[in-house]
């Protein structure tokens, strides 16, 4: 898996999957980004599913004929209680939701809450490890499609 950092913004990024980490009670910025890029349907999806950004909460929606094809929103919890391990757990949750898809996976988290290098390394490691599956005792290994490139936005 190729891992890279893109200093650009998420509104111009192109790939197959996008994982967005959302802080509890701070939905405005992510919702504006999603609405600007994908239209009102993304905001409606948040309201229908009552997504609030609580820790370990996730919301996945598919965008037909769009780029990315799938958006996975994961809750990070309250900003004042956030730990680096919460970033890792949220990244792994999003990565497991991306199984079965190939292509480029983008991750947009609020990187400025921690030292950017540490947060990026922790998220990349968690995503990479979440794709592994122990198949030592299987007669016929399961073939699993995973994204082949990870871009931290």
């Amino acid at each position: 898996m190729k891992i890279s950092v893109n200093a650009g913004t998420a509104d111009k990024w192109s790939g197959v999957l996008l994982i967005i980490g959302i802080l509890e009670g701070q939905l405005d910025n992510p919702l504006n980004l999603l609405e600007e890029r994908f239209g009102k349907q993304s905001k409606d999806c948040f309201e229908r599913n009552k997504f609030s950004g609580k820790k370990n909460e996730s919301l996945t929606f598919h965008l037909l004929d769009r780029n990315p094809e799938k958006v996975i929103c994961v809750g990070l919890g309250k900003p004042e209680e956030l730990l680096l391990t919460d970033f890792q757990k949220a990244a792994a949750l999003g990565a497991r939701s991306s199984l079965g898809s190939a292509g480029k996976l983008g991750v947009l988290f609020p990187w400025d809450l921690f030292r950017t290098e540490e947060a990026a390394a922790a998220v990349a490691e968690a995503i990479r490890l979440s794709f592994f599956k122990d198949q030592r005792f299987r007669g016929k290994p399961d073939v699993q499609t995973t994204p082949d490139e990870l871009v931290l936005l």
Side-chain angles (χ1 to χ4, degrees):
M1 171 180 270
K2 179 182 174 185
I3 300 172
S4 62
V5 176
N6 184 350
T9 59
D11 58 341
K12 295 185 176 149
W13 177 80
S14 67
V16 177
L17 303 155
L18 179 61
I19 299 174
I20 302 176
I22 301 176
L23 295 167
E24 185 174 347
Q26 297 185 11
L27 295 174
D28 292 338
N29 275 350
L31 278 178
N32 290 339
L33 170 75
L34 290 169
E35 188 173 5
E36 185 179 301
R37 177 132 187 221
F38 308 118
K40 191 170 175 4
Q41 68 191 26
S42 56
K43 191 172 185 177
D44 294 341
C45 187
F46 272 76
E47 291 170 0
R48 266 194 321 273
N49 291 293
K50 296 181 174 104
F51 184 87
S52 62
K54 290 181 182 170
K55 194 180 290 191
N56 299 326
E57 184 178 25
S58 70
L59 173 65
T60 302
F61 51 95
H62 299 269
L63 303 164
L64 302 176
D65 300 326
R66 294 282 178 111
N67 191 355
E69 298 169 2
K70 188 176 185 181
V71 176
I72 304 162
C73 299
V74 291
L76 298 172
K78 296 179 182 178
E80 58 273 3
E81 298 173 1
L82 192 64
L83 301 172
L84 195 54
T85 55
D86 297 325
F87 260 31
Q88 290 175 310
K89 289 176 185 175
L93 179 65
R96 283 190 300 274
S97 296
S98 74
L99 290 174
S101 300
K104 197 184 291 187
L105 168 65
V107 179
L108 178 64
F109 275 21
W111 304 110
D112 56 341
L113 296 175
F114 297 101
R115 286 193 33 220
T116 308
E117 300 84 23
E118 285 180 12
V123 166
E125 177 184 37
I127 289 174
R128 184 74 177 110
L129 290 174
S130 68
F131 290 148
F132 284 107
K133 186 175 184 180
D134 185 8
Q135 298 189 20
R136 291 179 292 178
F137 304 109
R138 293 201 168 264
K140 183 178 177 186
D142 294 334
V143 177
Q144 184 171 281
T145 306
T146 60
D148 51 13
E149 185 175 349
L150 172 62
V151 180
L152 304 173
L153 304 170

